[in-house]
Amino acid sequence: MIAGVGTDILKMDRLIASYQRTNGRLAERILGPDEMMVFKARLARNESRGMAYLATRFAAKEAFSKAIGLGMRSPMSWRVMQTLNDPSGKPVVKCSGALEQFMQDKFFTAQVSISDEVDMAIAFVVVTYGTPVVTGVTDYKDLGGS
C-alpha cells in the first residue's frame, strides 16, 4: 500500500548560489557521510556534475520528507536520509539513526527516482508500507562503496 508520495524540483542556479555563498558548507549541512564522499569525488572530476549530484540529493531529501509526512521534523533531518546508488546505478534510500527506526516501526519502504538537466533537478519518492522488501543491502559497501 502506498503511504505517501513526494516530489521536489529545483533550479540549479539557486542551489549553486547558496553553495557559493556558504563557501561549500551547504553540502556539509545537506549530505550524509556516504553522499559526501561521492560528492567530493564528482566535484573534483567535474564541477557541474558535482553540483548536479548535490541538487538531486537535495531534491530527494525534500521529496522523501514529504512522502513520509514529516517534512523536516524529527526524526527526519538532512543527513540521516541518503540517496545512494546500487551496483546497477539505481538510486536507493538509506536511512540511519532514529529515522531508520521510524521507517522500520511503520514498515515503510521508500523508492526514489532522480533526474537532472543543465538548469533543473527533480526527485520523486513513493513510500509504501507492509512487509518490507529485503534487498540484501546492509551498508554502503553493498552499494558499491569502499
PDB file of all heavy atoms in Angstrom, residues 19 23-32 36 39-40 54 79:
ATOM      1  N   TYR A  19      25.405  27.408  -2.407  1.00  0.00           N
ATOM      2  CA  TYR A  19      26.659  26.683  -2.169  1.00  0.00           C
ATOM      3  C   TYR A  19      27.834  27.661  -2.144  1.00  0.00           C
ATOM      4  O   TYR A  19      28.680  27.609  -1.251  1.00  0.00           O
ATOM      5  CB  TYR A  19      26.852  25.624  -3.263  1.00  0.00           C
ATOM      6  CG  TYR A  19      28.121  24.835  -3.137  1.00  0.00           C
ATOM      7  CD1 TYR A  19      28.202  23.750  -2.268  1.00  0.00           C
ATOM      8  CD2 TYR A  19      29.242  25.156  -3.894  1.00  0.00           C
ATOM      9  CE1 TYR A  19      29.373  23.021  -2.148  1.00  0.00           C
ATOM     10  CE2 TYR A  19      30.408  24.428  -3.780  1.00  0.00           C
ATOM     11  CZ  TYR A  19      30.471  23.364  -2.912  1.00  0.00           C
ATOM     12  OH  TYR A  19      31.636  22.641  -2.796  1.00  0.00           O
ATOM     13  N   ASN A  23      30.324  29.076   1.052  1.00  0.00           N
ATOM     14  CA  ASN A  23      31.670  28.524   0.864  1.00  0.00           C
ATOM     15  C   ASN A  23      31.692  27.000   0.985  1.00  0.00           C
ATOM     16  O   ASN A  23      32.607  26.424   1.576  1.00  0.00           O
ATOM     17  CB  ASN A  23      32.663  29.152   1.855  1.00  0.00           C
ATOM     18  CG  ASN A  23      32.860  30.628   1.609  1.00  0.00           C
ATOM     19  OD1 ASN A  23      33.030  31.055   0.467  1.00  0.00           O
ATOM     20  ND2 ASN A  23      32.792  31.414   2.666  1.00  0.00           N
ATOM     21  N   GLY A  24      30.675  26.353   0.455  1.00  0.00           N
ATOM     22  CA  GLY A  24      30.622  24.896   0.445  1.00  0.00           C
ATOM     23  C   GLY A  24      29.968  24.265   1.661  1.00  0.00           C
ATOM     24  O   GLY A  24      29.725  23.062   1.682  1.00  0.00           O
ATOM     25  N   ARG A  25      29.674  25.050   2.687  1.00  0.00           N
ATOM     26  CA  ARG A  25      29.066  24.482   3.895  1.00  0.00           C
ATOM     27  C   ARG A  25      27.673  23.923   3.642  1.00  0.00           C
ATOM     28  O   ARG A  25      27.207  23.054   4.370  1.00  0.00           O
ATOM     29  CB  ARG A  25      29.041  25.518   5.020  1.00  0.00           C
ATOM     30  CG  ARG A  25      30.414  25.819   5.600  1.00  0.00           C
ATOM     31  CD  ARG A  25      30.352  26.735   6.818  1.00  0.00           C
ATOM     32  NE  ARG A  25      29.552  27.924   6.616  1.00  0.00           N
ATOM     33  CZ  ARG A  25      29.964  29.055   6.047  1.00  0.00           C
ATOM     34  NH1 ARG A  25      31.196  29.140   5.583  1.00  0.00           N
ATOM     35  NH2 ARG A  25      29.162  30.093   5.922  1.00  0.00           N
ATOM     36  N   LEU A  26      27.017  24.392   2.596  1.00  0.00           N
ATOM     37  CA  LEU A  26      25.695  23.876   2.254  1.00  0.00           C
ATOM     38  C   LEU A  26      25.758  22.359   2.042  1.00  0.00           C
ATOM     39  O   LEU A  26      24.902  21.627   2.537  1.00  0.00           O
ATOM     40  CB  LEU A  26      25.150  24.557   0.999  1.00  0.00           C
ATOM     41  CG  LEU A  26      23.790  24.057   0.521  1.00  0.00           C
ATOM     42  CD1 LEU A  26      22.703  24.459   1.514  1.00  0.00           C
ATOM     43  CD2 LEU A  26      23.471  24.601  -0.859  1.00  0.00           C
ATOM     44  N   ALA A  27      26.766  21.891   1.350  1.00  0.00           N
ATOM     45  CA  ALA A  27      26.908  20.447   1.102  1.00  0.00           C
ATOM     46  C   ALA A  27      27.098  19.697   2.414  1.00  0.00           C
ATOM     47  O   ALA A  27      26.511  18.628   2.614  1.00  0.00           O
ATOM     48  CB  ALA A  27      28.072  20.177   0.159  1.00  0.00           C
ATOM     49  N   GLU A  28      27.886  20.247   3.321  1.00  0.00           N
ATOM     50  CA  GLU A  28      28.124  19.598   4.617  1.00  0.00           C
ATOM     51  C   GLU A  28      26.841  19.522   5.441  1.00  0.00           C
ATOM     52  O   GLU A  28      26.636  18.577   6.194  1.00  0.00           O
ATOM     53  CB  GLU A  28      29.205  20.348   5.386  1.00  0.00           C
ATOM     54  CG  GLU A  28      30.557  20.285   4.718  1.00  0.00           C
ATOM     55  CD  GLU A  28      31.559  21.263   5.298  1.00  0.00           C
ATOM     56  OE1 GLU A  28      31.258  21.899   6.330  1.00  0.00           O
ATOM     57  OE2 GLU A  28      32.637  21.397   4.708  1.00  0.00           O
ATOM     58  N   ARG A  29      25.981  20.493   5.286  1.00  0.00           N
ATOM     59  CA  ARG A  29      24.715  20.527   6.026  1.00  0.00           C
ATOM     60  C   ARG A  29      23.697  19.535   5.456  1.00  0.00           C
ATOM     61  O   ARG A  29      22.918  18.948   6.190  1.00  0.00           O
ATOM     62  CB  ARG A  29      24.150  21.941   5.969  1.00  0.00           C
ATOM     63  CG  ARG A  29      22.889  22.107   6.757  1.00  0.00           C
ATOM     64  CD  ARG A  29      22.449  23.568   6.788  1.00  0.00           C
ATOM     65  NE  ARG A  29      21.024  23.585   7.046  1.00  0.00           N
ATOM     66  CZ  ARG A  29      20.112  24.096   6.248  1.00  0.00           C
ATOM     67  NH1 ARG A  29      20.467  24.675   5.134  1.00  0.00           N
ATOM     68  NH2 ARG A  29      18.845  24.055   6.559  1.00  0.00           N
ATOM     69  N   ILE A  30      23.717  19.341   4.150  1.00  0.00           N
ATOM     70  CA  ILE A  30      22.714  18.535   3.468  1.00  0.00           C
ATOM     71  C   ILE A  30      23.103  17.071   3.323  1.00  0.00           C
ATOM     72  O   ILE A  30      22.285  16.180   3.535  1.00  0.00           O
ATOM     73  CB  ILE A  30      22.416  19.126   2.071  1.00  0.00           C
ATOM     74  CG1 ILE A  30      21.729  20.477   2.225  1.00  0.00           C
ATOM     75  CG2 ILE A  30      21.583  18.175   1.232  1.00  0.00           C
ATOM     76  CD1 ILE A  30      21.602  21.241   0.932  1.00  0.00           C
ATOM     77  N   LEU A  31      24.326  16.800   2.934  1.00  0.00           N
ATOM     78  CA  LEU A  31      24.728  15.443   2.570  1.00  0.00           C
ATOM     79  C   LEU A  31      25.148  14.602   3.762  1.00  0.00           C
ATOM     80  O   LEU A  31      25.843  15.078   4.655  1.00  0.00           O
ATOM     81  CB  LEU A  31      25.881  15.491   1.565  1.00  0.00           C
ATOM     82  CG  LEU A  31      25.583  16.202   0.243  1.00  0.00           C
ATOM     83  CD1 LEU A  31      26.842  16.259  -0.610  1.00  0.00           C
ATOM     84  CD2 LEU A  31      24.438  15.542  -0.496  1.00  0.00           C
ATOM     85  N   GLY A  32      24.730  13.338   3.744  1.00  0.00           N
ATOM     86  CA  GLY A  32      25.195  12.367   4.729  1.00  0.00           C
ATOM     87  C   GLY A  32      26.620  11.950   4.395  1.00  0.00           C
ATOM     88  O   GLY A  32      27.163  12.310   3.347  1.00  0.00           O
ATOM     89  N   MET A  36      28.555  12.475   0.876  1.00  0.00           N
ATOM     90  CA  MET A  36      29.632  13.470   0.846  1.00  0.00           C
ATOM     91  C   MET A  36      30.868  12.927   0.127  1.00  0.00           C
ATOM     92  O   MET A  36      31.519  13.645  -0.643  1.00  0.00           O
ATOM     93  CB  MET A  36      29.989  13.924   2.263  1.00  0.00           C
ATOM     94  CG  MET A  36      31.041  15.019   2.296  1.00  0.00           C
ATOM     95  SD  MET A  36      30.579  16.521   1.407  1.00  0.00           S
ATOM     96  CE  MET A  36      29.680  17.358   2.669  1.00  0.00           C
ATOM     97  N   PHE A  39      30.069  13.055  -3.553  1.00  0.00           N
ATOM     98  CA  PHE A  39      30.023  14.453  -3.983  1.00  0.00           C
ATOM     99  C   PHE A  39      31.435  15.011  -4.181  1.00  0.00           C
ATOM    100  O   PHE A  39      31.723  15.622  -5.218  1.00  0.00           O
ATOM    101  CB  PHE A  39      29.265  15.298  -2.949  1.00  0.00           C
ATOM    102  CG  PHE A  39      29.371  16.779  -3.177  1.00  0.00           C
ATOM    103  CD1 PHE A  39      28.758  17.375  -4.277  1.00  0.00           C
ATOM    104  CD2 PHE A  39      30.085  17.581  -2.298  1.00  0.00           C
ATOM    105  CE1 PHE A  39      28.859  18.748  -4.487  1.00  0.00           C
ATOM    106  CE2 PHE A  39      30.181  18.948  -2.494  1.00  0.00           C
ATOM    107  CZ  PHE A  39      29.568  19.535  -3.596  1.00  0.00           C
ATOM    108  N   LYS A  40      32.303  14.810  -3.219  1.00  0.00           N
ATOM    109  CA  LYS A  40      33.668  15.345  -3.322  1.00  0.00           C
ATOM    110  C   LYS A  40      34.395  14.764  -4.532  1.00  0.00           C
ATOM    111  O   LYS A  40      35.101  15.487  -5.246  1.00  0.00           O
ATOM    112  CB  LYS A  40      34.446  15.062  -2.036  1.00  0.00           C
ATOM    113  CG  LYS A  40      34.026  15.945  -0.882  1.00  0.00           C
ATOM    114  CD  LYS A  40      34.823  15.644   0.359  1.00  0.00           C
ATOM    115  CE  LYS A  40      34.431  16.545   1.511  1.00  0.00           C
ATOM    116  NZ  LYS A  40      35.191  16.247   2.734  1.00  0.00           N
ATOM    117  N   LEU A  54      24.700  17.207  -5.942  1.00  0.00           N
ATOM    118  CA  LEU A  54      24.187  17.891  -4.756  1.00  0.00           C
ATOM    119  C   LEU A  54      22.717  18.267  -4.944  1.00  0.00           C
ATOM    120  O   LEU A  54      21.896  18.062  -4.047  1.00  0.00           O
ATOM    121  CB  LEU A  54      25.022  19.143  -4.462  1.00  0.00           C
ATOM    122  CG  LEU A  54      24.611  19.991  -3.261  1.00  0.00           C
ATOM    123  CD1 LEU A  54      24.660  19.192  -1.967  1.00  0.00           C
ATOM    124  CD2 LEU A  54      25.506  21.232  -3.172  1.00  0.00           C
ATOM    125  N   ARG A  79      20.834  14.910   6.984  1.00  0.00           N
ATOM    126  CA  ARG A  79      21.929  13.950   6.846  1.00  0.00           C
ATOM    127  C   ARG A  79      21.553  12.499   7.155  1.00  0.00           C
ATOM    128  O   ARG A  79      22.328  11.606   6.859  1.00  0.00           O
ATOM    129  CB  ARG A  79      23.081  14.399   7.740  1.00  0.00           C
ATOM    130  CG  ARG A  79      23.651  15.748   7.288  1.00  0.00           C
ATOM    131  CD  ARG A  79      24.729  16.229   8.221  1.00  0.00           C
ATOM    132  NE  ARG A  79      25.602  15.127   8.534  1.00  0.00           N
ATOM    133  CZ  ARG A  79      26.873  15.020   8.200  1.00  0.00           C
ATOM    134  NH1 ARG A  79      27.440  15.985   7.544  1.00  0.00           N
ATOM    135  NH2 ARG A  79      27.578  13.983   8.536  1.00  0.00           N
TER     136      ARG A  79
END
